[in-house]
Amino acid sequence: MTSPSVRTWPLVGTISAGWPSPAEEELLDKLSFDDWLIQDNCFMLSVTHNAMQDAGIHEGDIVIVQRGKKPHPGDIVIAAIDGQWVLRYYHIENGQPALYPGNGMYEVLYPKENLTVIGTLTACIRKY
Amino acid sequence: MFSHKWPKAIVHIDGDAFFASVEQAINPALKGKPVVTGKERGIIAAASYEARALGIKRGVTLWDAKKICPQLIVLPTDYETVSIFSKRMFDIMRLYTPTVEEYSIDEGFCDITGLRRVHHKSYEAIARDMQNDIHAKLGLTVSVGIATSKVLAKVASDYHKPAGLFAINSHTREAALKEIPIGDVWNIGPNTAALLKQHNFHTALAFTKAPKEYLANILSKPGLEVWQELNGQSVWPVSTAAKASYQSISKTKTFTPPSNKPEYVLAQLMKNLENACMKLRRYGQAASTISIFVKKQDHSYVGLHTKLSRATAYPKEIAGIVNTLFTSIYHQHTLYRATGVILSDLVSSTSIQPTLFENPVTIKKTKSLYGAIDMLREKYGKHAVHSAITLPAQKNQHLTSRGDVPKRKTILLKGETNRQRLPIPLLQVQVK
């Protein structure tokens, strides 16, 4: 849903070498950044650690996380593992969940008591 | 095939401890803990079910609450985040049916009559899907009632809070109403309840069994409509319309600490006037009667009202009158805690005629002035322009100390300003 103050950029199709032919140019429907990034089940999180830096997620970034969808192996998730909140890759090993870091300095985490996934990552945003 | 069991299917969805649940949703570390909001007021506005289990509920002072539970988590009210959650809750409801009525910030009605074929499931199952969807996407629970009328749907949603779901139809109606005290019924106020009890109707069921003719002699139309709704007959439809017009517009605000300074209390009153007039202009209306009131420390009210020589929506034209009314009710030794303004006898702003002794040029200038003010407000925010007399009231509405401002308000993401924020909730937990 677009608010009146949201700017949109027209997506004009791909550019091939040379001048675009007027016949080829086709204005597609406008997709706002709001609709592109946010759904009704999303929230933001400010990243404060670099456990996922190999995935390109750095301290100071804002990640967008969606709630309510079942995580698939390979998804980046926010999870509470034995009471601690982490941002990690979600995997299944021998039928049990395992949380992998995107940084060689961090360990793989296996839940001793419980693991709750709050949401899965859909975007990482960095403003310069 | 027409179903006599469900002539109409109306769903009432009610957030469970909504303000507190939102806090738990954005900070999952608070889940399962006793959480209350209202820190900036010194009194509990909302309490999580865990807090309620300890006897801490709305209206209890924070002082008393901390005595009962020293580990109680007390948070300031985060209206911004609660509004986002409220809007999302209604948007999720609209995924199931277009007929959604936003009754208040944390409850609403939907009409799902005839949609069983569309969803390929029973009304109860559709309502359960809505409930699960809200829980999955927002991280909080709501209680749901399904019935053949709004009043019954509200009774049903209240049946088994939190996270309850209950259906009342013609077969289950009587059992459901048997234990409901008459005063608990929606739209039966304390006066009507007292009256009905005098006639020996102490429960909702007893009330519904009374003959309509008997009630017609003691109740007015709204009371009879409640009777019809309780009997399963839908009288009040689920209304999707955004408010098209108002009977009256009122703005009231409490402030802390209470004050007896006339310039401050008047500033609060004028701020309410400006906001009420802003709303009037937004709906293209004007008011012919103005009432003002102040609330004292003992929670009693003093008010005055007056008719205006013609309808108006401009504070500039009413300010003098408000000042006069205020000086007649203000006492310098009284502490005040709230002020309010009510604008009534509304008419369309296009139908205003200047009175005989007015200068039409002045009126035209005032109209342009407020046209410009409204444009500035639209662009730069509600508080961008205001009259100087409201200056003392433009600071924080409540006495705040560090920790009394919602966490979200203290965080400014890159690109955000104090006025403009991203419209999605920010997770408040430390994530490694």
PDB file of all heavy atoms in Angstrom, chain A residues 10-25:
ATOM      1  N   PRO A  10       9.760   4.601 -12.202  1.00  0.00           N
ATOM      2  CA  PRO A  10       9.212   3.681 -13.209  1.00  0.00           C
ATOM      3  C   PRO A  10      10.271   2.660 -13.602  1.00  0.00           C
ATOM      4  O   PRO A  10      11.450   2.990 -13.738  1.00  0.00           O
ATOM      5  CB  PRO A  10       8.865   4.581 -14.395  1.00  0.00           C
ATOM      6  CG  PRO A  10       9.381   5.931 -14.089  1.00  0.00           C
ATOM      7  CD  PRO A  10       9.931   5.960 -12.705  1.00  0.00           C
ATOM      8  N   LEU A  11       9.849   1.443 -13.716  1.00  0.00           N
ATOM      9  CA  LEU A  11      10.738   0.379 -14.161  1.00  0.00           C
ATOM     10  C   LEU A  11      10.544   0.276 -15.663  1.00  0.00           C
ATOM     11  O   LEU A  11       9.473  -0.071 -16.142  1.00  0.00           O
ATOM     12  CB  LEU A  11      10.355  -0.921 -13.442  1.00  0.00           C
ATOM     13  CG  LEU A  11      11.338  -2.073 -13.560  1.00  0.00           C
ATOM     14  CD1 LEU A  11      12.660  -1.676 -12.940  1.00  0.00           C
ATOM     15  CD2 LEU A  11      10.770  -3.276 -12.858  1.00  0.00           C
ATOM     16  N   VAL A  12      11.585   0.616 -16.396  1.00  0.00           N
ATOM     17  CA  VAL A  12      11.368   0.811 -17.821  1.00  0.00           C
ATOM     18  C   VAL A  12      11.854  -0.364 -18.663  1.00  0.00           C
ATOM     19  O   VAL A  12      12.090  -0.243 -19.834  1.00  0.00           O
ATOM     20  CB  VAL A  12      12.064   2.119 -18.285  1.00  0.00           C
ATOM     21  CG1 VAL A  12      11.728   2.450 -19.724  1.00  0.00           C
ATOM     22  CG2 VAL A  12      11.609   3.264 -17.396  1.00  0.00           C
ATOM     23  N   GLY A  13      12.105  -1.513 -18.033  1.00  0.00           N
ATOM     24  CA  GLY A  13      12.577  -2.633 -18.856  1.00  0.00           C
ATOM     25  C   GLY A  13      14.087  -2.603 -18.954  1.00  0.00           C
ATOM     26  O   GLY A  13      14.764  -1.772 -18.371  1.00  0.00           O
ATOM     27  N   THR A  14      14.649  -3.525 -19.629  1.00  0.00           N
ATOM     28  CA  THR A  14      16.122  -3.622 -19.677  1.00  0.00           C
ATOM     29  C   THR A  14      16.677  -2.737 -20.784  1.00  0.00           C
ATOM     30  O   THR A  14      15.987  -2.387 -21.732  1.00  0.00           O
ATOM     31  CB  THR A  14      16.545  -5.076 -19.943  1.00  0.00           C
ATOM     32  OG1 THR A  14      15.882  -5.508 -21.145  1.00  0.00           O
ATOM     33  CG2 THR A  14      16.120  -5.970 -18.793  1.00  0.00           C
ATOM     34  N   ILE A  15      17.936  -2.365 -20.591  1.00  0.00           N
ATOM     35  CA  ILE A  15      18.583  -1.499 -21.589  1.00  0.00           C
ATOM     36  C   ILE A  15      19.583  -2.329 -22.365  1.00  0.00           C
ATOM     37  O   ILE A  15      20.483  -2.928 -21.791  1.00  0.00           O
ATOM     38  CB  ILE A  15      19.337  -0.353 -20.898  1.00  0.00           C
ATOM     39  CG1 ILE A  15      18.361   0.473 -20.058  1.00  0.00           C
ATOM     40  CG2 ILE A  15      20.028   0.526 -21.931  1.00  0.00           C
ATOM     41  CD1 ILE A  15      19.020   1.509 -19.181  1.00  0.00           C
ATOM     42  N   SER A  16      19.420  -2.402 -23.623  1.00  0.00           N
ATOM     43  CA  SER A  16      20.428  -3.102 -24.427  1.00  0.00           C
ATOM     44  C   SER A  16      21.354  -2.057 -25.034  1.00  0.00           C
ATOM     45  O   SER A  16      21.100  -0.873 -24.949  1.00  0.00           O
ATOM     46  CB  SER A  16      19.742  -3.932 -25.508  1.00  0.00           C
ATOM     47  OG  SER A  16      18.708  -3.205 -26.094  1.00  0.00           O
ATOM     48  N   ALA A  17      22.444  -2.493 -25.634  1.00  0.00           N
ATOM     49  CA  ALA A  17      23.419  -1.547 -26.195  1.00  0.00           C
ATOM     50  C   ALA A  17      22.775  -0.729 -27.299  1.00  0.00           C
ATOM     51  O   ALA A  17      21.934  -1.214 -28.042  1.00  0.00           O
ATOM     52  CB  ALA A  17      24.614  -2.320 -26.734  1.00  0.00           C
ATOM     53  N   GLY A  18      23.199   0.517 -27.380  1.00  0.00           N
ATOM     54  CA  GLY A  18      22.627   1.368 -28.442  1.00  0.00           C
ATOM     55  C   GLY A  18      21.404   2.115 -27.935  1.00  0.00           C
ATOM     56  O   GLY A  18      21.014   1.997 -26.788  1.00  0.00           O
ATOM     57  N   TRP A  19      20.817   2.927 -28.786  1.00  0.00           N
ATOM     58  CA  TRP A  19      19.637   3.681 -28.405  1.00  0.00           C
ATOM     59  C   TRP A  19      18.441   2.753 -28.266  1.00  0.00           C
ATOM     60  O   TRP A  19      18.216   1.920 -29.106  1.00  0.00           O
ATOM     61  CB  TRP A  19      19.313   4.744 -29.456  1.00  0.00           C
ATOM     62  CG  TRP A  19      20.381   5.772 -29.560  1.00  0.00           C
ATOM     63  CD1 TRP A  19      21.302   5.900 -30.539  1.00  0.00           C
ATOM     64  CD2 TRP A  19      20.632   6.810 -28.617  1.00  0.00           C
ATOM     65  NE1 TRP A  19      22.129   6.964 -30.301  1.00  0.00           N
ATOM     66  CE2 TRP A  19      21.745   7.543 -29.122  1.00  0.00           C
ATOM     67  CE3 TRP A  19      20.061   7.210 -27.412  1.00  0.00           C
ATOM     68  CZ2 TRP A  19      22.270   8.636 -28.453  1.00  0.00           C
ATOM     69  CZ3 TRP A  19      20.598   8.313 -26.762  1.00  0.00           C
ATOM     70  CH2 TRP A  19      21.690   9.001 -27.284  1.00  0.00           C
ATOM     71  N   PRO A  20      17.659   2.957 -27.181  1.00  0.00           N
ATOM     72  CA  PRO A  20      16.454   2.135 -27.070  1.00  0.00           C
ATOM     73  C   PRO A  20      15.443   2.546 -28.122  1.00  0.00           C
ATOM     74  O   PRO A  20      15.222   3.720 -28.340  1.00  0.00           O
ATOM     75  CB  PRO A  20      15.937   2.436 -25.659  1.00  0.00           C
ATOM     76  CG  PRO A  20      16.570   3.724 -25.254  1.00  0.00           C
ATOM     77  CD  PRO A  20      17.821   3.878 -26.041  1.00  0.00           C
ATOM     78  N   SER A  21      14.890   1.578 -28.769  1.00  0.00           N
ATOM     79  CA  SER A  21      13.890   1.885 -29.787  1.00  0.00           C
ATOM     80  C   SER A  21      12.592   2.252 -29.101  1.00  0.00           C
ATOM     81  O   SER A  21      12.199   1.611 -28.143  1.00  0.00           O
ATOM     82  CB  SER A  21      13.703   0.663 -30.698  1.00  0.00           C
ATOM     83  OG  SER A  21      12.349   0.528 -31.040  1.00  0.00           O
ATOM     84  N   PRO A  22      11.943   3.327 -29.547  1.00  0.00           N
ATOM     85  CA  PRO A  22      10.684   3.731 -28.926  1.00  0.00           C
ATOM     86  C   PRO A  22       9.670   2.588 -28.911  1.00  0.00           C
ATOM     87  O   PRO A  22       8.866   2.488 -28.010  1.00  0.00           O
ATOM     88  CB  PRO A  22      10.182   4.872 -29.803  1.00  0.00           C
ATOM     89  CG  PRO A  22      11.382   5.374 -30.528  1.00  0.00           C
ATOM     90  CD  PRO A  22      12.298   4.212 -30.687  1.00  0.00           C
ATOM     91  N   ALA A  23       9.763   1.744 -29.903  1.00  0.00           N
ATOM     92  CA  ALA A  23       8.803   0.641 -29.965  1.00  0.00           C
ATOM     93  C   ALA A  23       9.072  -0.369 -28.867  1.00  0.00           C
ATOM     94  O   ALA A  23       8.166  -1.035 -28.387  1.00  0.00           O
ATOM     95  CB  ALA A  23       8.878  -0.024 -31.332  1.00  0.00           C
ATOM     96  N   GLU A  24      10.369  -0.471 -28.479  1.00  0.00           N
ATOM     97  CA  GLU A  24      10.714  -1.460 -27.464  1.00  0.00           C
ATOM     98  C   GLU A  24      10.399  -0.968 -26.063  1.00  0.00           C
ATOM     99  O   GLU A  24      10.118  -1.735 -25.165  1.00  0.00           O
ATOM    100  CB  GLU A  24      12.211  -1.752 -27.514  1.00  0.00           C
ATOM    101  CG  GLU A  24      12.583  -2.889 -28.425  1.00  0.00           C
ATOM    102  CD  GLU A  24      14.093  -3.089 -28.426  1.00  0.00           C
ATOM    103  OE1 GLU A  24      14.825  -2.192 -27.976  1.00  0.00           O
ATOM    104  OE2 GLU A  24      14.533  -4.146 -28.883  1.00  0.00           O
ATOM    105  N   GLU A  25      10.531   0.336 -25.885  1.00  0.00           N
ATOM    106  CA  GLU A  25      10.399   0.898 -24.547  1.00  0.00           C
ATOM    107  C   GLU A  25       8.986   0.679 -24.025  1.00  0.00           C
ATOM    108  O   GLU A  25       8.005   0.993 -24.675  1.00  0.00           O
ATOM    109  CB  GLU A  25      10.706   2.388 -24.593  1.00  0.00           C
ATOM    110  CG  GLU A  25      10.932   2.981 -23.228  1.00  0.00           C
ATOM    111  CD  GLU A  25      11.514   4.373 -23.338  1.00  0.00           C
ATOM    112  OE1 GLU A  25      12.738   4.486 -23.417  1.00  0.00           O
ATOM    113  OE2 GLU A  25      10.715   5.318 -23.371  1.00  0.00           O
TER     114      GLU A  25
END
